[in-house]
Amino acid sequence: MIQRRFKKNKLATTLSVILGAATVVPAFTVNAEAQAEKEIEVIKVTGMRSSIKESTRLKRDASGVVDAISAEDIGKFPDTNLAESLQRITGVSIDRTNGEGSRVTVRGFGPQFNMVTLNGRAMPASSLPEGGHASDNRAYDFQNLASDAIKSVEVYKTGKASIATGGIGASININTAKPLDNPGLQTSFGSKALYDTSVRDGVRDYNDKVTPEFSGLISWTDEEEVFGASFNGSFSERHSSATGATINNWSNRIYDGSINREVNEAYTVDGVTYPASNITNAPQMGEAYQLPSDIAYRLEDTQRERTNAQLTLQYRPLDNITTTLDYTYTKLDSQVHSSDLSGWFDSFVGTAQFTEGLNPTPEVYIENRNENAPRDVALKQIHYNSLTEDKSLGFNVNWEVTDDFTLVLDVHDSESVSKPTEGYGNALTVGIGSNVHKSVGAIYGSSGLPSMQVVFDDCDPRVSTQDGVGGYNCNGLLDASDLGTTMMQTAYSNNDNEIQQIRLDGAYEFEDGSINFGIESRKMENTTIQSNTGNQTMGGWSASNAGELPEGFLDPIDFNDSLDDYKIKDGWTQGFRGDAKEIGQWAADKYDLEFGRNPNESNNRLIEEDITALYFEVNLDGELGGMPYHMSAGLRYESTDSKSSAKSAIPTAIQWDSNNDTQVIQGSFADAQSYSVSNSYDHLLPSFDFDLTVVENVITRFSYSKTIARPSYGQLDAQTAINGGPALPTILDDQVYGSANSGNPELVPLESDNLDLSVEWYFEDTSYVSAGYFEKRVENFVGTEPLIANFFDLRDVTNGPRAEQAMADLAALGITNPDDTQLFSMVAANELGVAYDSMTALEFEDAIDILPNSDDPQMMFRYNAPVNNKEAKVYGWEFAMQHFFGDTGFGMQANYTIVKGDINFDVASDEVQFALQGLSDTANLVLLYEKDDITVRLAYNWRDKFLEDANRSAGEPEFVEAYDQIDVSASYQVNENLSVSFAGINLTGEDIRKHGRNKNQFTFGEESEPRYELGARYTF
């Protein structure tokens, strides 16, 4: 018997009810609801098992590879948002922010390669990354959207001509409910208490352990179902804390007989002998090795408030015409209060004990100050803030012209804006230091956090207090009187993304199939504005005004008090915590500093895209050798005109502030330069799906499609941005360069030829086993051309005649292998016309900032220019099983995804590399129980190690280590109207850890803790 998918039967209509009709529907389902309303009564399905049953039917009846989750399913999963639910789908994994799902990866393709639509509409995305950086990718952040208001989510893993382009991994469509789909009056109100065990009970804890969440929905239609209106809204407040560690970068070097800053033999200064460096298991000659730049601990308190609202109005003047007007609003307000404890490595190597094998990395790395005054321990206080608002206004007309012909017109205007909540911007860093590190380093391992090692000295007379007295109080303790301010930085960033889209879809049905067609116009504008104040001097890099901070501004903390799994053993963990805003305002008044936004914008960027698309699709049903088949073939033509414009202040100099500290001096915005580059391209994108029911309940599928994904906004930037000077004076190390970023507005989209083969056996209405193979051959991957060049004729103050003279003067004093502190002091002495020994190194740093001149050589910057020069193949297998065990109430879902690629990161190579990022195997196991009024779900999720960044810093990679998590949810239906629920997320408190070329090369680690939800919902 031939299956007629284009004619809606009770099964298909039920699916439409469960999954919800999109405000704008893909053309291949464009007249489904209208036909259903004429022929079939609405069947309301509730409960976890019924919802899973309908999702299973959708998967079975879909054209191509499609997965979906209905509202009943989402509402009963322990998720804080949709990303947490999506990770249960085969081939889908997620990125987490503060332990909460934020972005999704599908079949190894990260968030920027997946298209997210709301009711079929392309949604704008904006964000403000921590630190004041620009939002460069197109990825939608699921943190913005609460799950309460969502009817269903559909994941299209194979391309279709009728679906908007932009997703190589998948296209994810989020559907919201409409009142005419649910006739009558319906109301529902819910509340939850959120309990986050990560919240600290300690010094300056900004958070509450228990926070509220409220949601409500009201939907109404008149008796004739001509008018309908619905409103839903939610408010959620969540507080969390996190403690961890990070390393800014690992520098990759070639061993030439000694490591960087090694003391080759003992030497004597002023009667004190300093030993040669103790190097154990040194690298082989010519072998690449890595050294750390620093070690930092960080404690963060985060407050997040999320508000969602949607208003939908519907009018059906005739039985065959339905109009819909909807407005969707989301707001996410985030505040982060952070405290750092860090030590920077720029002195003489005391001890370096390297690992065995490939990529020698220190297991122990200690630097000594030797004859120099103690180095500062850095105790930064930081405040990050952002407010993201999404607004979408849409209008839709569904007209059933005849019983067989339907037209749908959809228009929407949507905007996403991320902006600071503070006048100074979205990032404030207040530097505090104390010159007590006579020696600093760390012990590293293949697990946990590095252990900071310090030789403490608060008696050296060469450091000074605010009274000019030499030496601290010499009590052997780090206390408030030892602390002084250093530098203050503020950064401002604003990101605005607008999309206007108009679409006309049509569908015509005939005896054994249907024809779908459509035309679409989409305009996108993405604007980014950035500025910063640079390093504003308070007490200076030397923290020379120790004891200056008013009483009560800082409180001592021990970072170990907030650690459990990653507790530091036998290391230095003492720090201080204060309010960055309070200290910053005080410092601005005392030192006459700018505490507002810098009007000289370093970046004012506009990316514009004008997209026009046409598509045509044919669907046929029939029999082949007595076996039912379905075929869908389509072609999409898409033309894009793009333009990248920028206007920014031109940097005038790289200023040398202290030993290894430089800053970019930005010019006036009045002298800004403008840039503009246009580009255009078009694509023909075919798609073909064929499935065959070889025996009853066993379906085989074949799908082919071509899809595209556009480059990130940052890659399309029309200007070059100067990030900073070299990490060390270039006269001491010819392997260091300044840092710059450069985009390429002439990049074209990635193109992927996609192949899917699968077999599915549906042995019960809630039970199936499936296996599938997928392959994606991708062209135009954006690789990089690592280049070294000069920009804006900027000069290198750390090299040239003055630096050369300083080297000669130091040699005359017997200092033949100076470090950056000694070099800066000598250059400063010569500039000031004083003797080298007339001032301490810290006094020289306070006395002068050294600017380049025309005699200095051009500064060379290392940057990676993006180009479409890479091809790659991603392939893998997906296995899934789902089953309910009769009437016992018990069921299970299990899936495993294998993802492979033909271009991996070669950790043995010291070249800047292109590599496929985000590829990893994933697995899910969900145990289910639903009987009578009780529902329970226990879910296990695992993701294997994967490459997160192939160029974290100077060509060095960053890998995220394998991670797993257990969640649980349960609900009890007290009566027909009232239900109560409980959820636990990350029950075992699994932690996140990242590393470089090997596990010993730690880059980031952070503890995570369980959180719980207790809720109630009343429906009537």
Side-chain angles (χ1 to χ4, degrees), residues 129-176:
E130 290 186 353
H133 303 296
S135 174
D136 284 338
N137 65 55
R138 302 169 183 264
Y140 185 80
D141 192 339
F142 286 91
Q143 286 189 104
N144 298 336
L145 201 60
S147 61
D148 305 78
I150 303 307
K151 184 76 172 180
S152 66
V153 182
E154 303 156 341
V155 180
Y156 295 88
K157 298 179 185 175
T158 53
K160 298 193 73 66
S162 54
I163 296 178
T165 58
I168 284 182
S171 295
I172 301 170
N173 185 43
I174 304 167
N175 293 314
T176 58

Side-chain angles (χ1 to χ4, degrees), residues 14 17-18 41-46 50 72 151 182 186 1019:
T14 304
V17 173
I18 294 301
E41 63 178 339
V42 172
I43 301 174
K44 185 175 182 180
V45 182
T46 60
S50 295
E72 291 84 355
K151 184 76 172 180
N182 300 280
Q186 299 183 34
T1019 302

Side-chain angles (χ1 to χ4, degrees), residues 187-345:
T187 58
S188 178
F189 297 96
S191 64
K192 291 181 182 179
L194 312 179
Y195 176 68
D196 197 317
T197 63
S198 72
V199 172
R200 303 179 304 115
D201 284 325
V203 177
R204 291 184 182 264
D205 51 339
Y206 291 84
N207 296 342
D208 298 320
K209 278 188 176 293
V210 180
T211 53
E213 179 177 305
F214 304 101
S215 62
L217 179 148
I218 181 168
S219 179
W220 167 87
T221 66
D222 63 350
E223 291 185 1
E224 292 76 20
E225 299 179 27
V226 174
F227 294 97
S230 66
F231 176 81
N232 62 69
S234 66
F235 172 81
S236 166
E237 183 177 5
R238 183 187 167 215
H239 294 178
S240 61
S241 301
T243 305
T246 187
I247 288 178
N248 193 53
N249 65 71
W250 289 82
S251 60
N252 191 39
R253 299 173 179 275
I254 303 299
Y255 187 68
D256 59 1
S258 64
I259 69 171
N260 192 45
R261 298 191 296 275
E262 179 180 343
V263 179
N264 294 313
E265 59 183 30
Y267 66 96
T268 300
V269 176
D270 295 333
V272 179
T273 299
Y274 300 98
S277 301
N278 178 22
I279 310 298
T280 304
N281 196 31
Q284 300 296 312
M285 288 295 293
E287 184 178 18
Y289 69 97
Q290 289 80 40
L291 291 179
S293 62
D294 65 322
I295 172 65
Y297 300 134
R298 173 166 291 188
L299 184 153
E300 288 185 345
D301 286 340
T302 301
Q303 300 91 44
R304 186 221 68 191
E305 291 184 359
R306 180 175 63 205
T307 303
N308 282 192
Q310 185 178 60
L311 174 66
T312 304
L313 304 175
Q314 287 190 289
Y315 174 51
R316 185 179 289 153
L318 301 171
D319 287 344
N320 62 338
I321 296 178
T322 302
T323 63
T324 304
L325 178 70
D326 58 84
Y327 179 76
T328 303
Y329 174 81
T330 72
K331 181 175 75 171
L332 187 72
D333 186 327
S334 178
Q335 306 290 322
V336 180
H337 301 269
S338 178
S339 297
D340 275 17
L341 164 64
S342 64
W344 284 86
F345 304 153

